[in-house]
Each structure stands twice: as C-alpha cells, then as structure tokens.
Amino acid sequence: MLVDEIYEAGVVPERWPQVFDKLAGIAEGEGAMIFAAAPGMPRWCSSAAIHERVDRWTRSPFAQNNPRSERLFSNIETRFLTDLDRFTLEELDKEKFYTEVLRPDGLGWCVGTSIGVPSSDMLVLSVEKAYAKGPVPRETAEQLDRLRPHLARSAILAGRLGVDRARTAIATLEMIELPAAAVTRNGRVVAANSAFQSVSATVGIGARDHVQFSAPAIQTMFVEALDTPVSLARTGRSIPIAATSASAPLIVHVLPLRLAGLDVFTGAVSIVFVVAINQQGSPPPELLQTLFDLTPAEARIASMLIDGHSLTKVSKLQGVSLNTVRTQLKSVFAKTGVDRQVDLARLLGQRRVRVV
C-alpha cells in the first residue's frame, strides 16, 4: 500500500525513489523529487528516471531562483498545485525556465506541494510531467492531496531521524572525548557535543550557529572543504591549526556524514571533529564504526591498517583468512569512499589525542 511505503521512506530514505515513482504514476509523470528550498547548494533526491535532468537543473542559474518556485511554492499551502493554478499558458510560453530548461529536457509540467519541516526552511515535493503529455489536471492534484498529510508526516519523521542520527554520531565522539559537530554545507551546526563548544579559542560556534575559526585562512579552507562533499568522500579533509599562546596545535577533520540521503531533510552533510596533536595512532574502532557504518570486524581491520599493519599481519592477528580480510577491506573501501590503503590512512590516520 502506498501510504505504508511513504512512512517506510521516512525511516529508510533509500525508499523515497520508489515512492516518487508511484506518485509519478498517479500523475502520468516521468518522475518525482524532493527539493530542500534553503540557502546554499541544492539538496534533493529524485526518481532514477529524472535524476540526470534534475541534476542539470540544480546546476543551472535557476536552481535557487525560478518563477515556478516563486509562484507555486513560495508559501506553504496544504494542497498540491499545478502550473496552471498560478500561470496562464501565455505566461508559461514566455518564462525562460520553462522554455530553456524544462522543455528542452522533455519536461514542462508539474504538480507539487511545499512542506514546512523544523530542520529545514522548506521542502518541495514535485512530480515532473513531460511537456508533450499536456498539463496535470486539477483532479490529479486533488487525488494527491489525499496523500499529502502522510507525505508531510514522513518528511518530518525523516528530518527528525536525520538529526537523531547526527546526534548519535556526535555523542559517540564525546564518549571518546573528541569535540565534534554535524554541519550543513554552509557550516551551520545541526548538532554539537559540549566539548566542541569549548574546544579552543581558535574554533567555535559563532553567529547564526555557524562554525567559526579565528584565522581567516583556516575559515576559507573550511568553507572550501564543505563546498566539495563529493571529493571529501574520496580523501577527506584535514586542516591543521597552528598553536597560539592560548591553544595547543590542532587538526580539524572534515568528514562526510553518511546519513543515507537524510541530509536532504536535515541539511547536515559533514561531521567536523577536532583533535590536539599529541601522539600518533589510528582512530579507535568505535569511532570508525560510527562514522562509516562499519561492522565491528571491519572497524578493527580499518584501524589496524591505518596503523600500518599489512594484510597478512591483520589476518594473523584477527585469526581469519587473508581472503576474508580482503573481502572486509573491500567493504571498508566502499563505505569510506576510498580505494587504497594509503588513502584510508590519509583520511583518518592523523594523530589523535585527549580533549583540549
């Protein structure tokens, strides 16, 4: 039943594309999507059938400023709206967003609704229909209206779950005495542990709940790291901070927060954690397990490899076959976004120490 699938997607975000496909079927659409209408880089997920087209659109100048968003979704209404609820046919033929972006990609009609959620400015759920098929009838919008309360509750559930998962990761870091925060792409703190709020005079939470560094050069490096989450998944980003008269030298690690798509609802894209330089060593397995959703065995192997042990030695120390170690390492690579042991060491092999 579709209602059951909608609520399942609120807990298991990988299910949203299947829900989108079914919503698209109701409107004879090509696919559907959820878009977070908030400042910064676009956050969205969609049906597989329209993924490439949505990606092109979100990279265009119309991503944050287009007439459809202004007229259909600028205010939260408790119903689905179609293009013809807010535009005339003549107006649509003059709008570049329709004539230069949507229609050349085979789209051009939609039915959508906006949903207010506590963790984001607003979510927009839109079913995209081919221009050649004609506009979405008002009766279809009314049919989707019956599903809207369930979609809204599921979106709110997803947002809360995302924040809870971020807080769980942060709490785990606090247990092993590492100052940490989960942040959005523009550096706004979604969740932070108490240690992060008092880690050092050189880093903290500043105006509008954004991570703030006292050194402008470090701030620039941090912003650049957050703005390239795809590359973070490959190598991570570690930012050194020199010692001052009031603070020990620090290393700020920026890692992608793996929330299985929930960042669309919460906005959190990375975990930032701070360590002071004191001694060499791999991160504890518990930290690796939490950050990358590793199994206990995978986390132990990752920690040992970061410390420089060979696969053969790991095999002997763990009492498992070399093939088993290789299989587990392959899974570790997939989950951490790297494909070489040296990159794994670069990602998390920096020095770890006590809380500053």
Side-chain angles (χ1 to χ4, degrees):
M1 186 175 178
L2 181 52
V3 171
D4 293 335
E5 294 182 47
I6 289 171
Y7 284 111
E8 183 181 18
V11 180
V12 185
E14 293 89 347
R15 304 290 189 191
W16 279 108
Q18 291 95 308
V19 171
F20 294 154
D21 288 342
K22 293 192 175 182
L23 294 175
I26 294 173
E28 297 184 5
E30 313 311 299
M33 63 175 292
I34 279 182
F35 182 90
M41 293 291 290
R43 308 193 316 269
W44 56 275
C45 57
S46 74
S47 300
I50 62 171
H51 186 275
E52 291 186 5
R53 285 177 279 186
V54 175
D55 184 57
R56 283 194 292 271
W57 162 44
T58 57
R59 293 174 185 274
S60 77
F62 291 102
Q64 297 288 352
N65 183 20
N66 66 75
R68 177 194 281 180
S69 295
E70 292 172 1
R71 294 205 190 185
L72 269 69
F73 308 125
S74 59
N75 297 309
I76 295 175
E77 291 196 35
T78 57
R79 63 173 182 148
F80 275 83
L81 297 172
T82 73
D83 300 283
L84 296 183
D85 285 323
R86 291 291 184 267
F87 294 92
T88 65
L89 291 172
E90 292 75 18
E91 286 176 324
L92 290 174
D93 287 337
K94 295 178 182 178
E95 291 289 355
K96 291 184 178 180
F97 177 58
Y98 285 84
T99 61
E100 297 181 8
V101 177
L102 296 177
R103 292 178 185 177
D105 252 344
L107 303 176
W109 301 109
C110 85
V111 56
T113 189
S114 53
I115 300 170
V117 293
S119 55
S120 181
D121 288 7
M122 183 170 64
L123 295 175
V124 172
L125 191 156
S126 176
V127 177
E128 302 296 324
K129 187 178 181 182
Y131 180 67
K133 293 181 179 179
V136 179
R138 172 106 292 277
E139 305 83 64
T140 299
E142 292 170 357
Q143 184 179 354
L144 289 169
D145 282 341
R146 293 193 284 272
L147 295 172
R148 189 185 181 282
H150 306 295
L151 291 163
R153 293 188 196 108
S154 185
I156 292 173
L157 174 63
R160 288 176 177 169
L161 180 59
V163 172
D164 288 343
R165 288 188 180 180
R167 286 173 177 162
T168 298
I170 297 302
T172 301
L173 290 164
E174 184 153 38
M175 289 174 63
I176 57 175
E177 300 184 322
L178 284 176
V183 300
T184 66
R185 202 182 304 274
N186 65 359
R188 180 177 60 83
V189 175
V190 173
N193 59 24
S194 57
F196 187 85
Q197 301 180 49
S198 58
V199 59
S200 167
T202 58
V203 57
I205 301 176
R208 298 182 180 178
D209 294 328
H210 282 62
V211 173
Q212 186 69 47
F213 295 88
S214 59
I218 300 298
Q219 188 71 31
T220 298
M221 294 173 65
F222 176 67
V223 171
E224 290 175 349
L226 293 179
D227 198 37
T228 54
V230 175
S231 64
L232 283 179
R234 300 292 300 170
T235 61
R237 184 71 183 270
S238 298
I239 304 172
I241 301 179
T244 67
S245 58
S247 175
L250 307 174
I251 294 178
V252 177
H253 296 284
V254 183
L255 298 177
L257 183 59
R258 298 175 182 275
L259 291 178
L262 285 172
D263 63 301
V264 174
F265 301 92
T266 67
V269 297
S270 301
I271 278 186
V272 179
F273 66 96
V274 183
V275 295
I277 297 176
N278 183 33
Q279 67 182 56
Q280 291 284 4
S282 66
E286 296 82 4
L287 172 57
L288 296 174
Q289 188 176 343
T290 298
L291 288 180
F292 297 106
D293 195 27
L294 303 179
T295 66
E298 291 168 351
R300 287 193 299 270
I301 285 175
S303 184
M304 295 172 72
L305 290 173
I306 290 170
D307 274 337
H309 294 300
S310 67
L311 293 181
T312 301
K313 186 167 184 180
V314 171
S315 171
K316 292 179 179 179
L317 291 174
Q318 294 296 300
V320 296
S321 71
L322 189 57
N323 282 338
T324 296
V325 173
R326 285 175 175 151
T327 299
Q328 291 172 328
L329 178 59
K330 184 177 180 181
S331 179
V332 169
F333 284 163
K335 292 178 180 180
T336 58
V338 302
D339 51 22
R340 298 186 305 167
Q341 186 174 336
V342 65
D343 291 330
L344 184 65
R346 186 182 299 126
L347 178 67
L348 277 170
Q350 302 286 348
R351 302 176 181 184
R352 67 178 168 90
V353 295
R354 58 179 174 77
V355 175
V356 178

